[in-house]
Amino acid sequence: MTPTTIDTPVIIVGAGPAGVGTSIYLSMAGIPHVIIEKETFPRDKVCGDAISGKSAHVLRKANPQWLQEVYQQPEHFTPSRGIIFVAPNGKPLRIPYGDPLREGELAPGFTSPRLVFDDFLFRKINRQYATIFEGATLKTIDKKPNEVSVCFEKEGTEYVVKAPVIVACDGDKSWVRKKIINDDAAEKAYSVGLRAYYQGVTGLDEKGYIELHFLPEVLPGYFWIFPLPNGRANVGVGILSSVLRKKKINLREQMLRAIEQNPTISHRFANARLENKIQGWGLPMGMKRESLSGDNYLLCGDAARLIDPFSGEGIGNALYSGMLAGEALARCAPQQDFSAARLKQEYDDILYRRLGDELRISATLQRLCRFPWLFNMVVNKAEKSPSLSNMISSMFTDLDLREQLRKPSFYAKILLNR
Ligand SMILES: Cc1cc2nc3c(=O)[nH]c(=O)nc-3n(C[C@H](O)[C@H](O)[C@H](O)COP(=O)(O)OP(=O)(O)OC[C@H]3O[C@@H](n4cnc5c(N)ncnc54)[C@H](O)[C@@H]3O)c2cc1C
């Protein structure tokens, strides 16, 4: 059988937030492209379903109307105005995202099941520029100087797509990454997470605050409860794979034990109902700077290992890296220069200039979380000190301020009440 051959300026593999982000920004630059996706939308993705202000920024920049659409559909999206951190000693600390909202101002973030949110994103792809193949099975990838060709099968037909550049947006077990740079993502900085949907959890925050419970048994990870539309909650737990292996933890048992026995959690699940099975997935984290591109390829989102090591946020970084990839390719297109040197300059360097500090600070915070007493101390003091509480809140929007968290002097001052 002779395969159908397609030539295109850009190939994107994967249509999650990273792939859609790339596609939207390529379309804004008028660049045609082919998207190859193995699933058919709407499709689920195991996740906490918390979508931050960074995602909102990428959407607003592409089209301000899209965010309005989000907030006009309360049955699908729940606005979120902050985070409740629960310290290992059980004490909560409410941290709003930045300043209190003014009348009519939209909440900075929201929650939405990925089944819904990713489909919402998928529908924003501009079909004038994007040719989409859903339900496609990748077979081979061949990289020659200045040309990448991908062979896939869809409904019994074989296709070969050729382009001068490919963008890997195919998630944490990226097939493209493995084939092109042949490294082993699983052995690097990795966390694993479990997610379950519950109906009837009580005490969910009225303002949509998401809850992170830093239970001593899963540090430096956490147990979460995120309110969703229609009285549902996304409940889960994430932990470093190395800790899981070292302590031989059964994560599912740990999660159910917290739900059944933890004094700050269990009473809220007294009448709650698990909707379907508990599912797991990996979180490749951005602990240190890595190469995100090379001759004729770019990596985005989880394929680039960009999940925030402290918060576990990956949707925002996936959309954001997709946006930067689309913009970078638009700058490289006039000269058709997709060399490693040019892509590093146009993509890696810009991405790390914008996200590098944040990832670095979060990597330190994740390491500090190994010390429950430190966490307890900060929350104990912040509970009594509105100025410390405000300062921690401002850290969400002010990176210079967040940098303070990396310094031992910050904790010394709190300890000494200064
Ligand atoms: C338990 C858990 C909880 C999390 N909670 C949060 C949270 O609350 N907030 C947050 O911001 N982040 C969270 N994350 C991280 C977030 O889910 C990811 O960072 C995000 O989905 C990354 O987006 P992506 O587009 O890079 O990859 P994905 O969303 O995984 O999308 C990849 C796409 O590529 C497709 N694909 C895969 N392989 C192929 C192939 N061979 N051929 C073609 N297509 C392919 C997939 O079908 C998929 O559509 C969580 C992760 C986990 C595991």
Side-chain angles (χ1 to χ4, degrees), residues 13-20 36-39 41 43-52 55 114 118 136-138 168-176 191-195 210 222 224 226 234 236-238 279-284 300-304 306-307 311-319 321:
V13 180
V20 173
I36 306 166
E37 163 61 52
K38 75 170 179 194
E39 305 283 346
F41 280 77
R43 63 104 181 87
D44 187 22
K45 154 78 176 79
V46 174
C47 187
D49 301 336
I51 297 145
S52 70
S55 301
R114 291 290 296 274
D118 285 19
T137 308
L138 291 181
C169 300
D170 50 340
D172 75 315
K173 294 204 168 50
S174 174
W175 183 87
V176 178
S191 281
V192 284
L194 295 179
R195 175 215 65 185
I210 60 172
Y222 57 80
W224 71 79
F226 296 167
N234 181 317
V237 62
Q279 287 179 285
W281 203 288
L283 294 93
C300 290
D302 280 10
L306 288 176
I307 294 185
S311 67
E313 179 196 346
I315 304 168
N317 287 352
L319 270 169
S321 58

Side-chain angles (χ1 to χ4, degrees), residues 11-277:
I11 300 169
I12 299 173
V13 180
V20 173
T22 309
S23 171
I24 288 171
Y25 280 79
L26 281 176
S27 297
M28 284 163 68
I31 299 178
H33 50 281
V34 167
I35 303 175
I36 306 166
E37 163 61 52
K38 75 170 179 194
E39 305 283 346
T40 303
F41 280 77
R43 63 104 181 87
D44 187 22
K45 154 78 176 79
V46 174
C47 187
D49 301 336
I51 297 145
S52 70
K54 200 184 285 160
S55 301
H57 166 79
V58 176
L59 295 180
R60 193 182 300 113
K61 189 172 154 188
N63 184 341
Q65 184 57 35
W66 292 348
L67 264 191
Q68 300 290 342
E69 278 176 41
V70 162
Y71 288 104
Q72 282 160 5
Q73 298 179 62
E75 70 283 19
H76 292 318
F77 303 94
T78 296
S80 174
R81 297 188 171 84
I83 304 187
I84 302 170
F85 288 99
V86 183
N89 61 9
K91 283 215 173 125
L93 177 64
R94 279 176 76 84
I95 302 289
Y97 297 130
D99 296 330
L101 292 184
R102 286 185 293 271
E103 185 68 28
E105 211 175 345
L106 298 177
F110 51 91
T111 57
S112 175
R114 291 290 296 274
L115 186 73
V116 173
F117 179 62
D118 285 19
D119 194 48
F120 171 85
L121 288 179
F122 188 73
R123 285 166 195 278
K124 300 302 175 201
I125 293 174
N126 185 338
R127 311 260 170 161
Q128 188 187 340
Y129 296 102
T131 306
I132 308 173
F133 292 93
E134 290 178 79
T137 308
L138 291 181
K139 294 184 130 182
T140 57
I141 180 163
D142 187 21
K143 203 162 116 7
K144 298 192 189 113
N146 298 324
E147 187 186 86
V148 183
S149 62
V150 174
C151 174
F152 67 92
E153 197 219 291
K154 179 180 158 74
E155 290 162 359
T157 304
E158 203 167 278
Y159 295 83
V160 174
V161 189
K162 296 180 180 178
V165 63
I166 186 167
V167 192
C169 300
D170 50 340
D172 75 315
K173 294 204 168 50
S174 174
W175 183 87
V176 178
R177 178 184 181 116
K178 211 175 291 161
K179 296 286 172 194
I180 293 182
I181 56 178
N182 197 22
D183 67 345
D184 187 358
E187 286 310 311
K188 297 285 164 56
Y190 220 77
S191 281
V192 284
L194 295 179
R195 175 215 65 185
Y197 287 115
Y198 277 86
Q199 192 62 253
V201 178
T202 53
L204 297 176
D205 188 76
E206 276 177 8
K207 291 189 170 165
Y209 276 48
I210 60 172
E211 299 173 39
L212 312 186
H213 296 251
F214 288 83
L215 306 180
E217 56 272 27
V218 295
L219 286 177
Y222 57 80
F223 173 94
W224 71 79
I225 305 175
F226 296 167
L228 286 174
N230 311 314
R232 299 172 79 207
N234 181 317
V235 178
V237 62
I239 188 169
L240 274 179
S241 313
S242 53
V243 174
L244 190 86
R245 274 195 304 270
K246 198 167 149 208
K247 295 190 178 168
K248 296 192 172 61
I249 292 174
N250 180 326
L251 200 55
R252 192 188 144 86
E253 274 176 17
Q254 203 72 260
M255 176 172 159
L256 292 174
R257 193 171 307 137
I259 288 171
E260 283 157 20
Q261 296 173 18
N262 185 291
T264 54
I265 296 171
S266 58
H267 63 280
R268 299 175 54 194
F269 284 81
N271 296 310
R273 179 174 58 80
L274 178 64
E275 285 186 350
N276 35 32
K277 58 180 188 199

